[in-house]
Amino acid sequence: MAEPKLGEALFAAAEAIRAKAYAPYSGFSVGAAILADDGQIYAGCNIENAAYPQGNCAEASAIAAMIAGGAKRIKAIYVTGPGATPVTPCGGCRQRIREFADLDSVVISHGVEGKPLTSTLEQLLPHSFGPEFLDK
């Protein structure tokens, strides 16, 4: 994902959807935008629930939008949230991303008051377990 305009487009999509997040309990709104294998951008936000485990992370929402849109693979994902510290995907979302992305896929984590952190999925989830380990 060397193209700066693509990064800008993903950032804009993540921020636009983050504004729609439902986070009344934590107050921590997150947006995620995926560049998929079909060339489209799919976005999702976090959706909290009073029964905490029933909520959705932004990354999971974006993956659901991607699959619903007919795409199959994540080429890059941009995650935005509040503060200056990069907002990285949680452990569960790293594994969710792993299901649909190659290890060299770009993951950009951005606390919007600071600088974005660009890494690969392999850097965020080293020695990971993926679908290739299972017989289909």
Side-chain angles (χ1 to χ4, degrees), residues 51-110:
Y52 290 129
Q54 302 309 312
N56 278 355
C57 292
E59 299 89 338
S61 294
I63 290 168
M66 178 189 78
I67 295 299
K72 303 291 184 216
R73 302 291 295 165
I74 297 169
K75 296 298 183 186
I77 183 167
Y78 202 123
V79 181
T80 62
T85 303
V87 177
T88 60
C90 71
C93 283
R94 292 176 194 205
Q95 188 63 47
R96 286 180 183 94
I97 294 165
R98 173 70 168 87
E99 184 73 16
F100 299 99
D102 296 331
L103 291 173
D104 62 352
S105 294
V106 174
V107 180
I108 303 170
S109 307
H110 195 172

Side-chain angles (χ1 to χ4, degrees), residues 4-131:
K5 289 190 184 218
L6 182 55
E8 292 171 15
L10 287 170
F11 173 77
E15 279 294 277
I17 200 77
R18 182 168 81 97
K20 298 177 181 180
Y22 179 74
Y25 307 108
S26 71
F28 197 86
S29 297
V30 179
I34 290 171
L35 172 64
D37 57 349
D38 64 357
Q40 299 298 310
I41 293 174
Y42 298 93
C45 57
N46 60 322
I47 304 166
E48 294 180 348
N49 189 291
Y52 290 129
Q54 302 309 312
N56 278 355
C57 292
E59 299 89 338
S61 294
I63 290 168
M66 178 189 78
I67 295 299
K72 303 291 184 216
R73 302 291 295 165
I74 297 169
K75 296 298 183 186
I77 183 167
Y78 202 123
V79 181
T80 62
T85 303
V87 177
T88 60
C90 71
C93 283
R94 292 176 194 205
Q95 188 63 47
R96 286 180 183 94
I97 294 165
R98 173 70 168 87
E99 184 73 16
F100 299 99
D102 296 331
L103 291 173
D104 62 352
S105 294
V106 174
V107 180
I108 303 170
S109 307
H110 195 172
V112 297
E113 294 168 25
K115 295 185 180 188
L117 170 68
T118 301
S119 40
T120 64
L121 178 57
E122 187 169 30
Q123 289 171 316
L124 284 179
L125 192 64
H127 312 288
S128 65
F129 182 83

